[in-house]
Amino acid sequence: ATLLNDGTVLIIGGWNDRRKVTTLELYNPSTGLFTILANSSCQSSNSGNSILLADKNVFIADNLYPISLQIFDLILNNCSTINQSLYNGISDFSIASLKDGRVLLIGGVIEASSTYPDAPTTFYSRKLNVYDSNLKIVSYLGDMNKARSFAKAVVLKDGRVLITSGY
């Protein structure tokens, strides 16, 4: 879920009684009402990870395989897919909003596939990538010292990112 500037909360996908929830909803805490965004063109989201961007759009990362990276336009009520070629075969990554407005994509699990044919069944990623909403691209940033999936990230006051836990 993502808190929006007007105080409402955007709820993105998830699971309900072992079924994938494929809707986007707005929750208004003032009225206690939920509104389904029926015209949304977003792909369903398993994990519902999202971040409000500086341009008032919402970055959505469905980080359970198969993944999707999307931008939800709150005004037009539609989604656009981000080129995710850096994330083919990677799932269970984490995201964090950086002070400069970019989104950090952290680690994940890499499944053996045609992209990584020599990989064991699964292995963990050390990769750090970043989504830049001005350029509308995901690019490689570097590697962490240790591979992680399901990590937690905290952006410190000076802009550095502390990445903890995970596998």
Side-chain angles (χ1 to χ4, degrees):
T2 301
L3 180 63
L4 304 178
N5 291 335
D6 64 0
T8 59
V9 179
L10 180 66
I11 301 167
I12 301 163
W15 290 89
N16 182 4
D17 194 27
R18 297 186 196 154
R19 285 178 278 161
K20 204 191 287 192
V21 175
T22 59
T23 58
L24 275 74
E25 298 179 52
L26 276 180
Y27 171 68
N28 186 330
S30 299
T31 63
L33 297 176
F34 291 84
T35 304
I36 293 176
L37 302 176
N39 295 328
S40 164
S41 61
C42 294
Q43 298 172 14
S44 62
S45 178
N46 294 319
S47 59
N49 289 319
S50 58
I51 291 176
L52 182 63
L53 300 171
D55 63 7
K56 310 288 188 287
N57 291 322
V58 179
F59 177 88
I60 301 172
D62 185 358
N63 67 357
L64 297 177
Y65 193 79
I67 67 114
S68 68
L69 302 176
Q70 302 172 84
I71 298 297
F72 179 62
D73 185 314
L74 291 161
I75 295 169
L76 299 176
N77 192 26
N78 69 17
C79 272
S80 57
T81 301
I82 299 167
N83 180 343
Q84 54 209 35
S85 60
L86 287 173
Y87 270 81
N88 286 341
I90 299 178
S91 62
D92 305 326
F93 56 91
S94 302
I95 60 175
S97 181
L98 302 176
K99 288 188 179 261
D100 64 5
R102 296 179 300 161
V103 177
L104 184 64
L105 292 84
I106 304 161
V109 174
I110 301 173
E111 303 290 335
S113 66
S114 58
T115 308
Y116 303 98
D118 297 328
T121 306
T122 60
F123 65 99
Y124 300 102
S125 174
R126 295 176 44 210
K127 290 182 185 283
L128 293 169
N129 290 297
V130 66
Y131 171 72
D132 186 318
S133 61
N134 293 324
L135 300 174
K136 310 241 183 292
I137 60 169
V138 176
S139 56
Y140 173 73
L141 188 63
D143 285 340
M144 297 180 283
N145 291 334
K146 297 197 179 224
R148 296 181 187 272
S149 68
F150 296 109
K152 301 296 180 201
V154 175
V155 179
L156 305 173
K157 287 184 179 182
D158 65 5
R160 292 179 299 153
V161 180
L162 175 65
I163 300 171
T164 62
S165 68
Y167 296 103

